[in-house]
């Protein structure tokens, strides 16, 4: 019987070993059964997070997510996991722990790190980094910094998942999502009636639309409009200069002064140069990483799961 909470790397190994039989299981079942398999002492099993959630089950859930990101588990449907072929291949050499360093050789983990680095690069005042953040239990940590770092990492994880969801959705869904982001940023009016009208009327993406996927008001009165081109591309399918040049031509043909080109992928170097030089007064471009950062900032496609408060002594109270 374990008298202390298993570390994250130990839980990773437990989960993968438990899933070795190939059965597809719901995350709630995995949590229940892995915690039971771990044979935790009653006082350890009783440990909870501030919101009352079981600390042990939380770690199992986190392990499922990390194993999925590393490609060691598949997700055949929502909240259901199953061991992957890569996971099966790892089983013979699996010991008592499975750390993030062990994930590095997995292509899906490398892709995940690259996507997380894109998200980090879009943060104001922060540089891109693929440094792995390891959660520890050391009491000597600066707890405030640790809490902030943990929240930042969770948001980076969320941004990566948002981008995957956008890439998996239909082109029409992506175009509507883009319009909702722009609405939350203040374009097209903030009244809910205006927002609903924009979602219904601004979506123009169809054959023969001249490269225009949406139209949104730049100001509440609709004196000026912004035209939108939204391309739902897979990672690696970059947008080139000809795509931007064609869109700017469509703007010119409609007598429009400004446009926004948004993609779930990225832009070639030539396309970025064109957007910041010849077309800089008429065109704004957003890549997938920047778009998901905006979605988090303006709460589009996400909701608050938990609020954390950091309290300090009110010195005025004691004067």
């Amino acid at each position: 019987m374990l008298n202390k909470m298993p570390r994250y790397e130990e839980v990773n190994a437990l989960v993968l070993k438990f899933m070795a039989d190939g059965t597809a299981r719901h995350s709630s079942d995995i949590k229940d059964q892995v915690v039971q398999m771990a044979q935790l002492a009653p006082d350890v099993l009783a440990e909870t997070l501030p919101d009352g959630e079981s600390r042990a089950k939380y770690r199992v859930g986190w392990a499922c997510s990390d194993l999925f990101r590393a490609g060691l588990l598949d997700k055949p449907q929502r909240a259901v996991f199953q061991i992957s072929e890569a996971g099966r291949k790892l089983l013979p050499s699996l010991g008592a722990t499975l750390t993030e360093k062990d994930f590095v050789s997995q292509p899906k983990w490398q892709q995940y790190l690259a996507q997380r680095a894109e998200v980090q690069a879009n943060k104001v005042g922060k540089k891109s980094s693929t440094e792995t953040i390891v959660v520890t239990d050391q009491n000597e940590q600066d707890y405030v910094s640790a809490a902030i770092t943990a929240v930042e990492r969770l948001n980076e994880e969320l941004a990566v998942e948002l981008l995957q969801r956008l890439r998996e959705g239909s082109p029409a869904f992506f175009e509507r999502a883009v319009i909702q982001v722009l609405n939350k940023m203040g374009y097209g009016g903030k009244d809910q009636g205006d927002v609903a009208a924009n979602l219904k009327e601004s979506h123009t993406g169809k054959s023969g639309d001249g490269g225009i996927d949406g139209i949104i008001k730049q100001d509440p009165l609709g004196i000026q409009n912004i035209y939108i081109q939204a391309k739902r591309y897979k990672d690696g399918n970059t947008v080139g200069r000809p795509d931007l040049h064609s869109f700017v031509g469509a703007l010119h043909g409609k007598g429009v002064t400004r446009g926004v080109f948004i993609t779930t992928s990225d832009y070639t170097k030539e396309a970025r140069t064109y957007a910041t030089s010849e077309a800089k007064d008429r065109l704004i471009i957003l890549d997938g990483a920047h778009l998901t950062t905006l979605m988090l900032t303006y709460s589009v496609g996400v909701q608050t799961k938990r609020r954390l408060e950091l309290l300090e002594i009110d010195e005025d109270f004691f004067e």
Side-chain angles (χ1 to χ4, degrees):
M1 185 170 291
L2 286 178
N3 293 315
K4 64 178 181 179
M5 186 67 63
R7 301 192 310 275
Y8 282 90
E9 54 265 31
E10 293 173 326
V11 178
N12 287 341
L14 281 173
V15 171
L16 194 61
K17 289 175 181 178
F18 173 69
M19 298 297 289
D21 63 0
T23 302
R25 297 179 174 90
H26 194 277
S27 59
S28 59
D29 294 330
I30 299 173
K31 291 177 183 178
D32 290 340
Q33 295 183 52
V34 170
V35 167
Q36 183 177 357
M37 184 177 72
Q39 296 184 328
L40 303 177
D43 58 332
V44 178
L45 192 59
E47 290 184 27
T48 61
L49 299 173
D51 63 353
E53 182 181 358
S54 163
R55 187 180 296 275
K57 290 184 178 182
Y58 177 81
R59 294 197 175 192
V60 174
W62 188 267
C64 289
S65 297
D66 266 358
L67 292 170
F68 172 69
R69 294 184 189 102
L72 302 178
L73 291 182
D74 288 329
K75 191 186 288 185
Q77 54 184 295
R78 184 179 180 183
V80 173
F81 295 92
Q82 186 175 29
I83 194 168
S84 68
E85 185 59 32
R88 291 183 187 278
K89 291 180 179 179
L90 189 63
L91 283 173
S93 61
L94 183 60
T97 62
L98 186 57
T99 70
E100 291 188 1
K101 290 183 179 179
D102 298 318
F103 296 159
V104 171
S105 61
Q106 302 298 325
K108 279 196 67 175
W109 185 258
Q110 294 173 9
Q111 182 183 27
Y112 157 70
L113 288 181
Q115 291 173 338
R116 202 172 80 187
E118 287 184 64
V119 172
Q120 292 172 336
N122 277 289
K123 291 182 179 179
V124 178
K126 299 196 78 172
K127 297 181 179 179
S128 174
S129 171
T130 56
E131 179 184 358
T132 299
I133 303 171
V134 180
V135 180
T136 70
D137 294 319
Q138 296 176 350
N139 292 328
E140 63 268 20
Q141 288 187 71
D142 177 342
Y143 289 117
V144 174
S145 296
I148 293 172
T149 298
V151 170
E152 287 181 345
R153 176 179 175 177
L154 287 170
N155 284 340
E156 288 166 6
E157 308 275 1
L158 183 58
V160 171
E161 185 173 351
L162 271 175
L163 190 53
Q164 291 173 339
R165 293 290 189 96
L166 291 174
R167 287 171 176 165
E168 292 169 357
S170 68
F173 171 79
F174 177 56
E175 292 160 14
R176 289 193 295 271
V178 163
I179 290 171
Q180 285 184 292
V181 172
L182 293 174
N183 271 131
K184 283 293 188 75
M185 294 175 69
Y187 296 102
K190 295 186 177 180
D191 181 83
Q192 287 304 306
D194 290 339
V195 172
N198 269 302
L199 288 174
K200 181 178 180 181
E201 300 173 8
S202 296
H203 175 69
T204 64
K206 57 188 176 182
S207 178
D209 67 359
I212 306 299
D213 289 326
I215 305 169
I216 196 166
K217 300 173 184 176
Q218 183 176 351
D219 58 274
L221 296 178
I223 296 174
Q224 290 185 315
N225 291 328
I226 297 176
Y227 278 46
I228 304 161
Q229 178 77 294
K231 291 297 183 185
R232 183 191 59 89
Y233 285 163
K234 293 182 179 179
D235 186 30
N237 186 9
T238 54
V239 176
R241 177 187 168 119
D243 298 298
L244 299 186
H245 191 272
S246 176
F247 178 55
V248 170
L251 298 179
H252 179 73
K254 294 182 178 292
V256 179
T257 58
R258 292 179 177 85
V260 181
F261 198 112
I262 305 177
T263 181
T264 50
S265 61
D266 203 348
Y267 299 89
T268 64
K269 182 179 179 180
E270 292 76 14
R272 288 188 178 277
T273 299
Y274 172 73
T276 56
S277 56
E278 297 176 51
K280 67 177 182 178
D281 294 328
R282 306 192 66 181
L283 178 65
I284 296 294
I285 60 173
L286 297 176
D287 58 28
H290 195 173
L291 175 60
T292 53
T293 299
L294 291 174
M295 291 179 72
L296 293 182
T297 301
Y298 292 95
S299 298
V300 177
V302 297
Q303 59 185 351
T304 300
K305 180 179 180 180
R306 182 181 302 149
R307 293 190 182 277
L308 303 178
E309 279 190 300
L310 297 177
L311 305 179
E312 64 179 5
I313 293 293
D314 181 356
E315 297 293 352
D316 294 337
F317 177 83
F318 293 96
E319 286 185 358

